[in-house]
Amino acid sequence: MRTLMTMSLLLAAVLGGCAAAPVSEAAPPEKFKVQVLSKLPHDPAAFTQGLEFSGETLYEGTGLVGKSSMRAGPAGVAPTVRQDLPGLFGEGITVLGPTAWQITWQDGVAIERDTKTLAELRRVNYTGEGWGLCHRDGQLVMSDGSSKLTFRDPVSFAPTGGVDVGRDQLNELECVGDSVYANVWQTDRILRIDAATGRVTGEIDASGLLTPEERSSADVLNGIAAVPGTDEFVLTGKLWPRMFRVKFVPAA
């Protein structure tokens, strides 16, 4: 009896120890910096709100009332196609094959466009502010300046879910595989976010791209486009005179 009791106590201790074992915490975000591969011209009057490649064509959305537009053409040269957006404050863009979406800041309007001509096809209303936009896995991902990413149907633009990243001021977005890259407004930081959970898996320091002279007449970093078929990105910002083709490499 004493032996059975002793074995029972030992078993309870082992099981109790297993139950009390701490759950391992998520790994901290990886730290990256930018390695500049080349520099490209950029329209210094473009208040960049969205940047995205489709094939070799670079699409750009710009903001400010009276200056908002959507443009397209090869990277580093003057756009070959442009459509202005009078009366509205343009924000993020994304391209889905034959059509593209362009959102607006506080107007609650999303504009669907033809990707060849950028002509407006229709408008859809939504609630709240619009900041950044990208697409992945048959869904749109949209930011509104808060810590939340909202998922939307790519046809109806209706919300279908979302995640909370836990970091405010998420701005221009770029979807790459299972990750969403987000510019953080008013900083030189880019976050890499797990789209399924909202967890920040990487932080990129993109400071120092502009010279002090260039910085004096420029606004914040806000434009990130993955270069198709590579691990490279093109970065720019509002009123920046340059774009930068870069790689994200581990920080020292």
Side-chain angles (χ1 to χ4, degrees), residues 76-203:
V77 301
T80 55
V81 185
R82 171 175 172 159
Q83 292 284 353
D84 292 332
L85 187 60
L88 299 177
F89 195 121
E91 285 281 350
I93 62 163
T94 196
V95 182
L96 302 96
T99 62
W101 283 105
Q102 180 179 24
I103 56 177
T104 54
W105 179 30
Q106 295 179 320
D107 303 291
V109 174
I111 298 97
E112 188 178 35
R113 297 184 180 277
D114 177 272
T115 51
K116 290 184 178 179
T117 65
L118 300 184
E120 184 175 322
L121 301 175
R122 62 174 171 141
R123 296 189 176 193
V124 176
N125 295 324
Y126 59 84
T127 302
E129 293 188 1
W131 286 44
L133 192 68
C134 65
H135 75 276
R136 62 172 298 277
D137 249 2
Q139 67 182 6
L140 302 177
V141 183
M142 179 172 156
S143 63
D144 61 6
S146 71
S147 63
K148 296 180 180 179
L149 296 177
T150 300
F151 303 147
R152 293 184 176 274
D153 184 273
V155 177
S156 68
F157 212 76
T160 59
V163 292
D164 195 315
V165 177
R167 308 281 189 97
D168 288 330
Q169 296 187 319
L170 302 180
N171 203 353
E172 211 268 310
L173 306 178
E174 179 73 1
C175 293
V176 182
D178 294 330
S179 298
V180 177
Y181 290 81
N183 285 279
V184 181
W185 186 50
Q186 293 185 322
T187 77
D188 289 321
R189 287 184 297 117
I190 297 168
L191 303 181
R192 186 184 67 194
I193 302 161
D194 184 309
T197 65
R199 186 172 72 87
V200 176
T201 62
E203 296 182 352

Side-chain angles (χ1 to χ4, degrees), residues 9-114:
L9 290 172
L10 288 172
L11 181 60
V14 170
L15 292 176
C18 291
V23 177
S24 61
E25 296 181 357
E30 296 180 89
K31 303 291 186 179
F32 297 92
K33 61 182 179 179
V34 295
Q35 176 187 351
V36 176
L37 304 176
S38 62
K39 301 177 182 180
L40 301 168
H42 180 248
D43 180 2
F47 199 75
T48 305
Q49 303 285 49
L51 203 66
E52 187 172 302
F53 276 100
S54 179
E56 295 183 356
T57 302
L58 182 63
Y59 290 81
E60 181 174 9
T62 68
L64 300 177
V65 176
K67 297 184 178 180
S68 295
S69 67
M70 187 164 175
R71 313 160 179 206
V77 301
T80 55
V81 185
R82 171 175 172 159
Q83 292 284 353
D84 292 332
L85 187 60
L88 299 177
F89 195 121
E91 285 281 350
I93 62 163
T94 196
V95 182
L96 302 96
T99 62
W101 283 105
Q102 180 179 24
I103 56 177
T104 54
W105 179 30
Q106 295 179 320
D107 303 291
V109 174
I111 298 97
E112 188 178 35
R113 297 184 180 277
D114 177 272

Side-chain angles (χ1 to χ4, degrees), residues 226-238:
V227 181
T230 76
D231 59 353
E232 300 167 9
F233 295 82
V234 168
L235 305 182
T236 193
K238 306 172 189 284

